[in-house]
Every structure is written in C-alpha cells, then in structure tokens.
Amino acid sequence: MDTTRNILSISEALYHLTVMMLTLGQGVHSLPVPTDVPMCTASETAQYRLTFSGKWTQAAFPKQYPFYRPPAQWSNLIGVTHSSDYHMWQRNEFASNGVREFAEKGEAWTLMKEVEAAGERIQSVYGILSAPAVMGGTGQMNTEFEVFARHSYLSFMVHLVPSPDWFVGVENFDLCDGDHWKENVSLELFPFDAGTDSGFTFSSPNFETIPQDKITQITSSFPSHPANSFYYPRLKHLPPIAKVMLTKIKKTNQIISLPVEPTQSNQLPTGNEIEDKLINTPLDCEVSVWSPWGLCKSKCGDSGVQHRTRYIIMHPANNGLACPLLEEERKCFPDNCL
C-alpha cells in the first residue's frame, strides 16, 4: 500500500512540475549553446514514444534473484528533455542529492527540485517525463515527450527494486542528427551503482558509502566481490537487464502527453522479446570455507579418522558448475591418549 501511494503521489507531482516547467520555458530566452557539441538544426519539434522493457529474469540473473520482500520490480521512470549543458546524472561523476535519493529509494522529490532549479537558472531543461512503475522484473512502461533543436537531449533513470543504490538509465542521449530527427532508437540498459550505498546484494541493509564514490557501471566482474549480486566471473559481459525503444511519432497539438499505463508482463512477447527470454546465465555452485578438523576418533594406540565439513552458499543454476564434496576425512592419531 505504501509503495502504491508513493508511486501515485510522485506521478501527480511530476505532472504538476511538468506543467510549471513548460510554462517557464515559454517565457524565457535561451542561453547560447556551447560550441563544442554538434549543433542541431532541425527546424521543427519532434514527438517520441518511449517504451521501457524490463529484462530482469531469474534465468538471466539467477544469483540471489529477489522473489519476495519485495520481489524484483522497477520504480517509476523519471526523465528530462534538455540542452547539452545540463546533466541529470553522469557516469564517473558524483551523484547529486536528488539522484542519491532516487537511486536508493525511488523517491523523486529532491531530484525534481534540482531539475526545476536548473530550468530557472540556465533554461537548460525543456520538459519532464515520467512513466509508472513495473510491478515485476519483466514488463513494459510507456510515455511520450517532445524535443526541439535547442533541447534535443534525453536523460532518465529507473531504480531497481530491491537494491542498495542501483539503477538503469540514459545519460545525455541526443535525438537530433544534424538537420533531422532520429526515427527509431533501441538501447540496451545495464545496471549502475550510484556510489552512495555500500551494499553488495539486492536486499542489503542501508550502509552509507563514506566518502561517496562516483557513479559506475556494474559489470560481471565489478565490483569484484563474490557476494555481489551481479558477480558472474565466467561471463565476459552481463546480459542487458532492460532496454528502451525511442520511436518518432507524428506530431500532435499536445506539447507533452501524460504517461500511459504500463504494458502487463503476461502479454505474449514477439520478435526480440522471445529471444531475450532465452538468456540463461550459468551460476556456479558456491560453498563455504572448510570447518576445523574434528576430534580424532579411535582407540588408544590405533590410528583413527577425523572429519571436516563445509556447506552450500549458492546452489548451481542453468548448467553452472556442480557443488564439490562437502565432507572430507583423514587419518589421525588421538592426542593425550592414556
């Protein structure tokens, strides 16, 4: 109930802030565009449909896959259309307070205030877009937005639920190509660490990173800790955990449309959707370290046997390496034999 209420309140706030930003954008003059980036010379505005597809399946990501409290799912999407001189977030840079709160909790209030301040200060933000949460690791959410030559860039974030401070998104993607708009764009998305929480697993307790780290992409070998939920040392690359499709649509009289309802994940997939579901990431068995050797069991003067054991931390999946032996024995002679 609390999660649903938060999503609804955030969506309402995004709508009101969108209206305010668009009103603000119509009454100010744009600042000069930096000269070190390609100039967009498209004469007309363009409207796009954004379709976010979650690919967070147990087959693709079997290690510690979250089934409950809460199960794997996606937060609402929050994004902006903007000019090249604005950055919602950047890899290898420190996260703002707004990005921190969204990456850790999916809360967008501070992030929206930062966007509003940027729009007032440098007129770099044209509009805000949002889409409702996906209540599962797979499924879709959609929204529509508008861009024009001065503000041809798109940035957005979606928080992984549950996770310490992990998210997927797009940073400063230019939809303009010289004097025309790109028609169709498909981008594979991979997880990022906001650098603000030091948890290794999806359900790790809150453990603030001090000092704060920079935003980094999570890979199959980074962070290189075996407890990391995305640590798959046999893989060269992680499979994409989500993807986004950007499709140019016919322009309407609307400046920006409200988010549409997410597509339910139980619809029959087609084309590449079926191909994505066939990803099976092998997960090798993980076992603990050996226990100390046990007591030597024998009669005085005779050789005996002692044992040590270890236990399974992670069972194998998808044809991963089987578990090794969990018990060993060796010959011994009893100590302090009378």
Side-chain angles (χ1 to χ4, degrees), residues 117-129:
E120 292 175 343
R121 185 175 66 255
I122 57 177
Q123 294 88 53
S124 60
V125 177
Y126 176 61
I128 300 173
L129 56 142

Side-chain angles (χ1 to χ4, degrees), residues 245-259:
M245 291 287 296
L246 302 168
T247 306
K248 186 173 177 290
I249 57 178
K250 292 182 179 180
K251 196 167 73 170
T252 67
N253 291 329
Q254 283 182 295
I255 294 177
I256 189 169
S257 64
L258 293 176

Side-chain angles (χ1 to χ4, degrees), residues 230-289:
F230 287 111
Y231 184 69
Y232 296 95
R234 289 178 59 188
L235 295 184
K236 187 174 182 179
H237 303 289
L238 284 176
I241 198 169
K243 74 175 182 180
V244 63
M245 291 287 296
L246 302 168
T247 306
K248 186 173 177 290
I249 57 178
K250 292 182 179 180
K251 196 167 73 170
T252 67
N253 291 329
Q254 283 182 295
I255 294 177
I256 189 169
S257 64
L258 293 176
V260 298
E261 289 301 313
T263 302
Q264 297 300 313
S265 59
N266 59 1
Q267 289 189 344
L268 182 65
T270 58
N272 291 332
E273 300 295 317
I274 295 177
E275 184 177 312
D276 290 340
K277 290 185 179 294
L278 297 179
I279 295 174
N280 289 289
T281 299
L283 179 64
D284 297 340
C285 178
E286 293 183 20
V287 296
S288 68
V289 297

Side-chain angles (χ1 to χ4, degrees), residues 158-179:
V158 183
H159 169 54
L160 276 73
V161 182
S163 75
D165 59 343
W166 302 339
F167 68 96
V168 298
V170 165
E171 51 171 334
N172 288 50
F173 183 80
D174 193 358
L175 287 160
C176 185
D177 190 3
D179 61 354

Side-chain angles (χ1 to χ4, degrees), residues 184-233:
N184 295 286
V185 179
S186 178
L187 301 173
E188 293 182 332
L189 304 181
F190 299 89
F192 281 87
D193 187 322
T196 62
D197 191 298
S198 297
F200 275 123
T201 66
F202 295 119
S203 57
S204 293
N206 185 40
F207 187 65
E208 185 177 359
T209 301
I210 302 175
Q212 180 176 335
D213 287 334
K214 294 181 179 181
I215 297 173
T216 54
Q217 184 173 332
I218 300 171
T219 69
S220 60
S221 58
F222 179 83
S224 59
H225 195 291
N228 179 21
S229 292
F230 287 111
Y231 184 69
Y232 296 95

Side-chain angles (χ1 to χ4, degrees), residues 39-53:
M39 178 76 72
C40 177
T41 57
S43 58
E44 296 184 350
T45 62
Q47 280 194 317
Y48 281 88
R49 181 177 181 83
L50 182 154
T51 301
F52 174 93
S53 300

Side-chain angles (χ1 to χ4, degrees), residues 126-143:
Y126 176 61
I128 300 173
L129 56 142
S130 67
V134 176
M135 299 303 177
T138 61
Q140 294 184 339
M141 51 180 157
N142 308 282
T143 190

